[in-house]
Every structure is written in structure tokens, then in C-alpha cells.
Amino acid sequence: MGRVIGIDLGTTNSCVAVFEDGRPIVVPNSGGYKTTPSMFGVADDGKRLVGHLAKRQAITNARHTVFATKRLIGRRFDDTEAQRTLEFSPFEIVRGPNDDPRVRIGEKAFTCPEIAGIILRRMKRVAEEYLGEPVEEAVITVPAYFTDTQRQCTRDAGKIAGLEVLRIINEPTAAALAYGMTRHGDEKIAVYDLGGGTFDISILEMSSGVLEVLATAGNTFLGGEDLDRRIVTHLVQGFEKTAKIDLKGDAMALQRLKDAAEKAKCDLSVREVAEVNLPFITSSGGEPQHLNTEISRETLEDLVQDIVEETLKSVDECLADAGLSASEVNQVVIVGGQTRMPMVQEAVTRHFGRRPHKGVNPDEVVALGAVLHAHMLVEEEKELLLLDVTPLSLGISTFGGHFARLIERNTTVPVTKAHIFTTTRDDQSAVKIRVLQGESDLAEENDLLGEFILAGIPLAPKGEPEIEVSFDIDSSGMVSVSARDLATGSEQSIAVNSTSTLTSEELEQLVADHEAGEVRLKG
């Protein structure tokens, strides 16, 4: 068996780790950086660029350089969050045949799992160059609040990258694993994970060789990208007010503003005022126009205060589900690059009544935890038992448009649960099982994961047939569902595959194309 790697597939940056000499280590890329930008681009000559190479051409070739597509993976094109991405996106996002958002570059529309697969393939090569041998297996992390569809898309991305994904593990859980590597004794831990695109909060209990997730909550569309967007909006509005020019339709200007906003945000973590100087941002009447202004830390905090407060609402929800008060948490671990912001650290300190633990690198700890878990799987180590949970409730649509929960959120996985349902019409010979995930009592307000038909039900008055619907969630949080007519034993089952994910034919073609390196771009 070859080496197994752990990959943190991030919205802004990705990171890969290996297990060497009895400990996990983060592997630097060829440029010596331990994180790689989660960016993909295509040069004018059709050459594919990943990571830092893609980032370098982002301003000069903004239409053909893609970033933060993790926020779109597993979503539908009409999702509110997907539409928000369109607002300031310099690249073109189009509706795919599966009603999924895709990025058009030239004549090709890339799916989000495909872009993630390209980035994962780059991380795979970083590990292979370091180890000097091929890598075929990996543990990949996802936000704890990812839906089943988003987890499936991530697994598809791993397959496109040429990897067998041994396990999908939640990012806060991976961080807790890395944190707990050097800890002893019983502790209740809160992992506050604010990254580039997503926010997670998980409450875990560590005791006697068991790391158990008590509850998790979060928002898969809340992170550093939103802070950047607030700064960009502030700069665009300020420039329009002074120069009477709207920059929103200028792709190159928007990308320059995005880069400047990210830099200013980082600068304001260590100083009170940051300068934004963008000469020749546009032209008007044949005259060049320049953007030169300052942003104070106070201004930034005013712009993003509601975003930080939104994370604390998820913290309270998670604590309530765990049955704990903030004072009962022994340690708070902060993860994700956005937690470097002083305002975030102060908010966490106030909310928990203690300063967060800073003994882990927020950019690397998730990848380290992923490879730790990978090592536990391949070596079958029993020193630590990991018990994770499903983040969202699962169930089916019932008569009247109601949502019948079979598995409540924060149930420990793996888990199997079944419930008996019946027909709603006389002589009904078939039923449609619509599998949903979410927290609303109304079926239409939850995410549809998939649907199938159970046929061959004996004709009988309504209410008499007994149909057992069974849900199974594995350790990666992947869902499968079966329905069985108890009278005849007739059964149908599916490994849930949402209509917004890749078809098996699409996935096989992408794997073949990327393995052969035959995908070429035009335009």
C-alpha cells in the first residue's frame, strides 16, 4: 500500500500533509509555500495554471482566472448564495445542464467539482514530489456544515484528481484531532473555524481515547470572501462618489480591487490604517483615473460587524444542541485565516469568557488533522476513537408537503434509522420517495438530495400498506436510502445522488480526460 495524504481543500488556499517519522507534517509546494491558492486559470495560449501561477495572472486575465468556487460546489444555479457570487465575479458563471453553476472559460464550461479536482490534483503532485513516489489515497476535509450533495461533489473531485478518497472528514474535527495530538486528560473543546468561504463551529469532548463531536453548526456561505466583498463595495462606492465612475462592470478593475481589499484586510490585522493605492484603475474621457484612499481598522470593523455577529449566532445554536453553556467549554481553538483578525479574536474571547488557544497554525492545522486521521485508518490504530455527527436533519417529503425527519441533526455517525410509512390513496401501487436534508418543517424549504420510486405495492385501501424507509449515513457523512414494502418484500434503494451533481457518465469522462491530459481549451 502506498502513502496516504491529508488535504485541506480550502476556499482561498489549500494545504497537503503527510505522515513521516511518526508525526504529521505539512508539505511545501515547489515555491516553498506551505499553502497553495485555490485558484485555477487558463493562459492565452491554452495552458492550464493552478495555484500561485493562476493567481499571478488574475489581474491581467481576470475572465479566465477562477477563485473561491468551493462556495458554489454542490449548489444550484438559482441558489441565493450562487447569485451573490455573480455580483462581483470577474469570471463568467453559467447554468449547467444539471442546474448547477459552471465557470465558462473560452468554449468550455468547467464544473465546480472539476475545478476542485484540478486543485486536488495539484496538491497530490506536491505530495508526490516531496515523497518521491506515487500517491493514490487521501483523506479530504470539508466544512462540517456541508450537505450530502456538497460532500459527494468533493468525493467526485477527488476521483477526478486520481485519488481514492478514504474518508471525508469535517474541518473542525480534523483541527481538533491535530490539537488533541499533544493533549492529555478530559476536555470539552470548541473549534471556531472561520475560513475564506465558510464558517463552522463544533463542540467536542475528548476523554479516555475518545474524541466525540457533541454538536456542530455553521454557514457554508460566510467567510473572508464576504469581508473582501464588503471592502470592494466600500471602495467602489467611494470611487463612484468622487470620480463619478462605476467600476462594477470592469473585470480587471474588480480583480485589482479584490486583491487590494484582501491585502488591506490583512494589513489591518497588524496596523490601524491601510492604504489602497491603485493607479490607472480606469480611464474617463481619455484621461487615466487613479484610486488612492485609506481604510482604518475602525471602518473595516463597522463594515463587517454583522458578519462576525452572525458567527456568534451559530456558536449559540451549537452550544444549545450540545447542552452546554459557554463557561463549560475548557478550550477554544480558532482555525482559518480569518481568525487572525483582532475583531474576531475579541468576539470569541467575549463570547466564551476566555482567550482562544493559539498553539496551532490556523492555516495548517486542518491538513495535519486530515493526515492524522488517514494514518489512523490505514494503520488501524485503536488509540483514539473518533465519533462525528451529521450536521443537518435527514428525512422524506410526506403528504401535504411536510418534512418527516428520520435522523435529527447532530446524530452520531455512522447511523441507520428506519420508519414505517403508508399510502395516501386507495389502490396505490407505487410511491415516490423524495429524500430531503434541512431543518424546515416544510419539504420545499429543504434541500432535495434525490428521489426514487418503490413500485409493486399490492392494491389495498389507503393507510393499509406498510412501507419501511431506512436511512444509512456512513462515517464520511454520505447518505443512502432504501424503501421496502413489508407485505411483499419488494425493495428499492439509492446511494443518494442529487440532480445537481455530476452524472456517472460525466464523471467517468472527466476522469479519463484528466488522466490522459487531453483536455484542451479554445478561445
Side-chain angles (χ1 to χ4, degrees), residues 5-6 37 50 74 144 157 161 177 258 300 307 334 341-342 361 446 455 464 499:
I5 59 176
V50 185
L177 268 175
K258 170 73 167 61
L300 173 61
I307 295 176
I334 53 175
M341 185 176 181
N361 184 314
N446 294 315
E464 281 193 10
T499 55

Side-chain angles (χ1 to χ4, degrees), residues 112-269:
C112 293
E114 183 179 4
I115 294 170
I118 291 168
I119 294 166
L120 286 172
R121 184 177 287 272
R122 174 63 186 141
M123 304 316 297
K124 174 177 180 282
R125 286 177 181 163
V126 168
E128 288 175 337
E129 288 168 4
Y130 175 83
L131 295 171
E133 60 182 277
V135 171
E136 297 178 349
E137 298 175 319
V139 168
I140 302 174
T141 64
V142 296
Y145 224 55
F146 253 22
T147 64
D148 178 74
T149 301
Q150 291 169 311
R151 292 169 190 270
Q152 286 189 55
C153 286
T154 304
R155 190 177 284 277
D156 288 348
K159 190 171 183 180
I160 292 168
L163 289 166
E164 180 186 349
V165 182
L166 297 183
R167 187 72 53 85
I168 298 289
I169 182 174
N170 293 334
E171 289 164 5
T173 305
L177 268 175
Y179 162 82
M181 181 175 56
T182 58
R183 309 288 291 191
H184 302 284
D186 297 351
E187 279 188 313
K188 290 183 176 66
I189 310 160
V191 179
Y192 178 103
D193 184 354
L194 184 58
T198 60
F199 171 70
D200 283 320
I201 174 70
S202 290
I203 310 295
L204 307 96
E205 184 170 22
M206 186 168 60
S207 63
S208 304
V210 177
L211 182 61
E212 180 180 5
V213 181
L214 302 180
T216 194
N219 187 329
T220 56
F221 218 92
L222 189 154
E225 290 286 331
D226 298 293
L227 277 73
D228 295 347
R229 185 178 286 114
R230 292 286 177 87
I231 300 172
V232 170
T233 301
H234 175 74
L235 294 172
V236 167
Q237 291 174 346
F239 190 75
E240 186 172 8
K241 185 176 181 180
T242 58
K244 311 302 182 195
I245 299 173
D246 185 0
L247 297 173
K248 288 198 291 292
D250 187 330
M252 183 181 291
L254 281 177
Q255 187 58 50
R256 291 182 69 189
L257 285 164
K258 170 73 167 61
D259 286 357
E262 186 177 355
K263 183 178 184 302
K265 180 185 69 178
C266 294
D267 289 346
L268 290 172
S269 290

Side-chain angles (χ1 to χ4, degrees), residues 93-115:
I93 303 173
V94 298
R95 187 192 300 271
N98 300 332
D99 197 31
D100 58 322
R102 301 190 177 192
V103 179
R104 181 175 295 284
I105 301 179
E107 296 181 5
K108 178 174 172 59
F110 289 85
T111 68
C112 293
E114 183 179 4
I115 294 170

Side-chain angles (χ1 to χ4, degrees), residues 333-403:
V333 179
I334 53 175
V335 180
Q338 199 53 59
T339 59
R340 288 189 170 90
M341 185 176 181
M343 181 185 188
V344 172
Q345 296 183 14
E346 290 163 8
V348 171
T349 299
R350 284 196 308 272
H351 213 71
F352 283 95
R354 62 178 50 78
R355 297 202 66 81
H357 174 77
K358 293 186 178 181
V360 297
N361 184 314
D363 297 323
E364 301 174 10
V365 64
V366 171
L368 292 172
V371 80
L372 269 173
H373 191 53
H375 182 70
M376 289 164 52
L377 290 174
V378 298
E379 298 298 331
E380 297 184 349
E381 290 193 358
K382 305 298 184 183
E383 292 181 9
L384 180 64
L385 175 63
L386 176 61
L387 300 174
D388 216 331
V389 298
T390 181
L392 295 161
S393 298
L394 288 147
I396 65 172
S397 174
T398 59
F399 182 70
H402 299 291
F403 176 51

Side-chain angles (χ1 to χ4, degrees), residues 34 53 56 75 84 111 161 212 225 260 271 299 313 322 346 349 363 396 400 414 445 461 487:
K34 289 191 174 182
L53 292 177
R56 286 172 196 154
R75 296 187 183 275
R84 274 170 54 196
T111 68
E212 180 180 5
E225 290 286 331
R271 55 175 64 106
T299 298
K313 292 178 184 177
E346 290 163 8
T349 299
D363 297 323
I396 65 172
E445 294 181 357

